[in-house]
């Protein structure tokens, strides 16, 4: 199984199969907004813009890492990059592992920077690639090829042990990340892919020099679900379909650690959910699969419309909780545990 073929299968499955968590949710539904009938500001004063990795974003949104490294990825990445440039949101590209093997599909990654010269672009590599002796030149070449603003290292132990070709070699990943964080000129982002980060893991990563964490919690795309459809051991994939720390819970755990930038992803599905995540101290939100489906079915225009809609939802939630800026959203107490949900 080549890396390229596997990437194509992931995209096809994400587009055509139901790979959402089955019973576990993100946990954001347990919170509701404290409505403010006296916002004491005008709606047009409410501003959603932020800065991320020293570049402006029109609102704190990232299209999370998905693809690159096979023929069909070129068009998907072109659409995602067009949208990132037009709407001033960040964009994570999919694993660049294929580009370590050879240059065949280099253009599927490079298209992103060509199309979005001003956007925040984040490179991506897997945990297994950073174990053992880390050859920093290899990674520098990867980030240079797309002029990346940061490099994400994805931590995917569940997927690795479920996928038919996985090997589960995770010894030495932390050391590799530490070496890479020291060697590269750009920041490292450590990210899960749908099982969340615990507070203990977050501390280890922070102590290894990582300053940005993408919790990518449970409640959105299930990677056991993805691998189930790729022919993983069906019974095991079923057992672990709903494995992971719900996004809201992971966020609450990890946000107790100071001086970390937290990206909240995993089941972020609207501007309202974004507002909750930002109120729970995330600085940026990310979403992957929901944007892939829209890019595929409705192209650039469709995705622009959806992002505009999420941004307006976020702005309305800010107004109705009396928040003028994203900073205020994080500072004020605007959420309560809803009595409609028993915990
Ligand atoms: C089709 C697909 C491919 C993905 N590929 C990658 C990848 O190459 N690297 C990575 O770090 N995460 C990858 N992810 C994980 C996402 O970046 C994200 O963390 C996860 O899907 C949770 O977000 P969601 O619930 O909005 O989909 C992929 C997700 C999807 C749906």
């Amino acid at each position: 199984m080549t890396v390229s073929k596997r990437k194509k299968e992931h995209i096809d499955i994400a587009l055509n199969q139901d790979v959402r968590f089955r019973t576990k949710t993100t946990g954001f539904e347990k919170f509701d907004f404290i409505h403010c009938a006296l916002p004491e500001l005008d709606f047009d004063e409410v501003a959603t813009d932020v800065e991320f990795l020293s570049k402006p974003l029109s609102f704190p949104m990232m299209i999370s890492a998905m693809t690159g490294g096979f023929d069909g990825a070129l068009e998907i990445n072109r659409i995602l990059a067009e949208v990132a440039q037009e709407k001033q949101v960040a964009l994570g590209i999919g694993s660049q592992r294929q580009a370590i093997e050879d240059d065949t599909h280099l253009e599927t990654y490079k298209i992103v920077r060509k199309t979005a010269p001003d956007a925040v672009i984040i490179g991506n590599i897997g945990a297994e690639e950073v174990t053992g002796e880390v050859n920093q030149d290899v990674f520098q070449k990867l980030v240079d090829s797309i002029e990346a603003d940061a490099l994400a290292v994805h931590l995917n132990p569940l997927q690795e042990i479920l996928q038919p070709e996985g090997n589960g070699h995770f010894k030495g990943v932390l050391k590799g990340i530490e070496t890479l964080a020291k060697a590269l000129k750009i920041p490292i982002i450590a990210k899960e892919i749908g099982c969340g980060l615990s507070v203990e893991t977050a501390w280890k990563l922070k102590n290894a020099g990582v300053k940005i964490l993408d919790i990518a919690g449970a409640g959105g795309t299930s990677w056991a679900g993805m691998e189930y459809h790729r022919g993983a051991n069906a019974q095991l994939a079923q057992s672990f379909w709903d494995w992971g720390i719900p996004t809201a819970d992971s966020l609450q755990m990890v946000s107790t650690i100071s001086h970390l930038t937290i990206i909240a992803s995993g089941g972020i599905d609207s501007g309202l959910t974004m507002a909750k995540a930002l109120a729970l101290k995330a600085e940026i939100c990310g979403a992957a699969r929901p944007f892939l489906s829209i890019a595929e079915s409705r192209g650039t225009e469709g995705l622009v419309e959806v992002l505009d809609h999420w941004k307006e939802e976020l702005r309305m939630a800010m107004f109705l909780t009396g928040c003028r800026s994203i900073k205020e959203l994080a500072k004020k107490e605007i959420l309560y545990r809803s009595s409609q949900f028993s915990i």
Side-chain angles (χ1 to χ4, degrees):
M1 169 74 62
T2 63
V3 174
S4 187
K5 183 157 179 278
R6 182 168 68 201
K7 210 57 196 150
K8 183 180 180 323
E9 285 184 3
H10 284 148
I11 294 291
D12 288 346
I13 290 165
L15 285 170
N16 299 308
Q17 305 286 346
D18 189 353
V19 288
R20 287 170 300 177
F21 275 70
R22 285 178 169 158
T23 52
K24 190 173 277 180
T25 62
T26 58
F28 286 116
E29 71 286 354
K30 291 175 187 151
F31 293 92
D32 206 346
F33 296 100
I34 302 172
H35 171 68
C36 173
L38 261 182
E40 281 299 323
L41 52 101
D42 294 339
F43 186 40
D44 60 12
E45 285 176 72
V46 178
T48 56
D49 57 302
V50 293
E51 203 175 87
F52 181 49
L53 294 166
S54 307
K55 287 184 179 172
L57 300 185
S58 68
F59 72 125
M61 188 72 232
M62 175 165 85
I63 301 170
S64 296
M66 275 182 288
T67 200
F70 75 98
D71 283 343
L74 188 77
E75 182 56 9
I76 299 171
N77 274 347
R78 193 190 57 74
I79 293 173
L80 300 180
E82 242 173 39
V83 173
Q85 177 72 15
E86 185 179 333
K87 297 320 297 177
Q88 251 189 357
V89 296
L91 171 60
I93 61 164
S95 173
Q96 291 173 275
R97 176 166 171 196
Q98 195 286 321
I100 297 181
E101 289 182 356
D102 59 57
D103 286 351
T104 326
H105 299 289
L106 206 53
E107 206 46 40
T108 65
Y109 301 105
K110 284 176 123 178
I111 183 94
V112 165
R113 181 52 84 195
K114 276 188 202 158
T115 313
D118 307 312
V120 173
I121 304 282
I122 295 158
N124 192 287
I125 201 69
E128 293 208 329
E129 275 75 64
V130 305
T131 53
E133 288 296 304
V134 174
N135 179 352
Q136 67 185 74
D137 294 344
V138 172
F139 296 98
Q140 194 60 53
K141 201 173 142 207
L142 290 184
V143 299
D144 287 347
S145 71
I146 53 163
E147 295 166 53
D149 298 286
L151 176 67
V153 179
H154 63 257
L155 309 174
N156 58 340
L158 173 62
Q159 186 209 357
E160 281 291 345
I161 55 172
L162 271 181
Q163 67 180 352
E165 62 279 63
N167 56 29
H169 289 157
F170 269 69
K171 210 182 281 172
V173 172
L174 190 62
K175 186 77 200 147
I177 289 176
E178 189 173 8
T179 310
L180 210 52
K182 278 195 194 117
L184 290 188
K185 294 181 203 106
I186 53 171
I188 295 285
I189 300 175
K191 80 184 279 291
E192 238 291 344
I193 63 164
C195 295
L197 297 175
S198 70
V199 72
E200 195 189 342
T201 301
W203 267 116
K204 284 183 183 161
L205 290 163
K206 187 185 175 192
N207 291 337
V210 180
K211 296 190 176 69
I212 310 173
L213 300 183
D214 182 342
I215 56 173
T221 304
S222 160
W223 275 84
M226 292 275 264
E227 293 305 332
Y228 171 83
H229 289 290
R230 279 189 66 238
N233 180 314
Q235 273 182 330
L236 288 174
Q238 296 272 12
S239 307
F240 285 85
W241 196 290
D242 271 7
W243 177 270
I245 310 170
T247 302
D249 295 344
S250 177
L251 179 54
Q252 283 180 285
M253 290 178 198
V254 173
S255 65
T256 56
I257 305 174
S258 53
H259 306 299
L260 273 178
T261 297
I262 304 173
I263 302 169
S265 73
I268 301 288
D269 57 2
S270 70
L272 285 168
T273 311
M274 284 181 72
K276 290 182 184 178
L278 297 166
L280 291 172
K281 317 291 179 235
E283 283 191 32
I284 305 284
C285 295
R289 198 171 41 85
F291 293 155
L292 178 69
S293 316
I294 293 155
E296 211 256 347
S297 57
R298 294 167 55 205
T300 305
E301 213 176 300
L303 196 46
V304 162
E305 254 176 48
V306 170
L307 283 173
D308 282 342
H309 181 69
W310 284 27
K311 185 176 163 192
E312 199 55 8
E313 282 178 344
L314 172 63
R315 226 164 68 80
M316 286 176 68
M318 288 167 71
F319 180 65
L320 296 172
T321 51
C323 298
R324 198 182 311 260
S325 65
I326 299 293
K327 270 207 176 89
E328 272 186 32
L329 192 64
K331 256 195 224 133
K332 284 191 178 176
E333 288 293 320
I334 63 155
L335 297 179
Y336 69 101
R337 289 247 172 198
S338 173
S339 60
Q340 291 187 39
F341 294 93
S342 51
I343 306 147

